């Protein structure tokens, strides 16, 4: 089976298992993830917003445009990477995802990562970071890396985690945008180093 088929099966499991039925009933559709299943980099956001809910793809609204600009600044094309969220249905009125919603989708996110096997996992924002570094503070950890182990497989695999601020936070706060752009600029060297390992 190809990675695309494996990912499609995970998406189907979420639907078949009726994960977070309350969220699902209020959302237009499941926003599973998009991009290259062979990507070296997987970006993980928080949850779909209004535009993502309508289009069915992550990061297609305002925050997505900023993400696109930053990707362009480091010469990375969207079709080289994979993007998904912790929670895969839009929370009503864009409220923060609840702990039980994040936990409900966590096994599926791990399965997505286990299929793609990226070298670099990049979390966007504190919700996404907290799934990997529960006690971490984004103001202290943004721009830093650490090794993580993805467990959901017969063969757990190691990859590198880079924790970044969420682009939405950067839209209205100049200091966050500056930090995010600075942190983003480290990606090419980091990836080059990981590709050599
Ligand atoms: N914010 C997120 O965290 N994810 C999206 O897909 C869009 C905005």
């Amino acid at each position: 089976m190809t990675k695309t088929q494996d990912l499609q099966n995970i998406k189907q499991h979420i639907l078949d298992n009726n994960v977070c039925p309350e969220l699902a009933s209020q959302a237009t559709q499941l926003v599973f993830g998009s991009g290259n299943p062979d990507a070296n980099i997987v970006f993980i956001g928080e949850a779909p917003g209004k535009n993502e809910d309508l289009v069915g793809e992550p990061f297609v609204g305002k925050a997505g445009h900023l993400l696109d600009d930053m990707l362009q600044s480091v010469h990375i094309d969207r079709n080289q990477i994979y993007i998904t969220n912790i929670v895969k249905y839009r929370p009503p009125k864009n409220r923060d995802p609840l702990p039980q919603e994040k936990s409900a989708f966590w096994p599926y996110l791990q399965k997505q990562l286990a299929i793609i096997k990226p070298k670099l996992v990049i979390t966007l924002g504190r919700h996404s970071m907290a799934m990997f570094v529960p006690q971490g503070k984004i103001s202290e950890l943004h721009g830093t890396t650490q090794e993580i182990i993805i467990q959901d497989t017969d063969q757990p695999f190691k990859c590198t985690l880079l924790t970044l601020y969420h682009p939405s936070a950067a839209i209205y706060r100049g200091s966050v945008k500056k930090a995010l752009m600075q942190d983003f600029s480290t990606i090419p060297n980091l990836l080059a180093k990981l590709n050599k390992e």
Side-chain angles (χ1 to χ4, degrees):
M1 227 188 302
T2 65
K3 286 187 176 191
T4 303
Q5 287 166 329
D6 285 339
L7 288 169
Q8 181 58 36
N9 287 343
I10 303 303
K11 181 177 177 181
Q12 195 57 47
H13 274 175
I14 296 176
L15 296 167
D16 293 346
N17 293 339
N18 205 11
V19 177
C20 292
E22 284 238 343
L23 280 187
S25 69
Q26 296 173 74
T28 307
Q29 58 191 313
L30 178 73
V31 181
F32 180 68
S34 68
N36 190 335
D38 288 314
N40 278 335
I41 308 178
V42 172
F43 283 86
I44 306 173
E46 180 179 317
K50 188 174 176 198
N51 292 292
E52 291 76 21
D53 176 64
L54 292 172
V55 175
E57 281 183 32
F59 285 97
V60 292
K62 248 189 188 174
H65 292 147
L66 182 54
L67 181 61
D68 284 339
D69 288 348
M70 287 186 297
L71 285 169
Q72 215 174 26
S73 76
V74 291
H75 310 290
I76 295 176
D77 203 272
R78 261 221 195 198
N79 62 27
Q80 289 172 254
I81 60 167
Y82 189 88
I83 313 183
T84 187
N85 285 303
I86 300 285
V87 167
K88 293 170 180 9
Y89 290 113
R90 181 192 182 200
K93 300 193 181 131
N94 292 348
R95 65 154 168 74
D96 280 353
L98 303 174
Q100 61 268 32
E101 293 164 351
K102 292 187 271 189
S103 319
F105 281 106
W106 177 235
Y108 298 98
L109 178 66
Q110 286 191 294
K111 285 182 203 304
Q112 279 175 295
L113 293 173
I115 292 166
I116 298 167
K117 290 201 170 49
K119 295 206 159 84
L120 183 59
V121 168
I122 302 181
T123 52
L124 298 169
R126 64 192 167 87
H127 288 281
S128 172
M129 181 189 77
M131 299 308 289
F132 298 92
V133 194
Q135 308 304 333
K137 275 191 163 180
I138 189 91
S139 56
E140 289 166 8
L141 288 188
H142 74 86
T144 66
T145 59
Q146 53 192 282
E147 214 167 70
I148 53 169
I149 299 188
I150 305 301
Q151 298 284 2
D152 186 82
T153 159
D154 295 338
Q155 297 163 304
F157 78 98
K158 271 194 270 183
C159 58
T160 296
L161 173 73
L162 170 65
T163 46
L164 297 183
Y165 278 120
H166 196 289
S168 293
I171 290 174
Y172 302 106
R173 287 180 58 197
S175 58
V176 172
K177 185 166 180 183
K178 201 169 156 202
L180 180 57
M181 288 179 74
Q182 165 63 35
D183 295 344
F184 227 90
S185 71
T186 65
I187 295 174
N189 278 347
L190 181 56
L191 193 61
K193 190 179 129 226
L194 295 174
N195 278 334
K196 272 194 218 144
E197 281 174 3

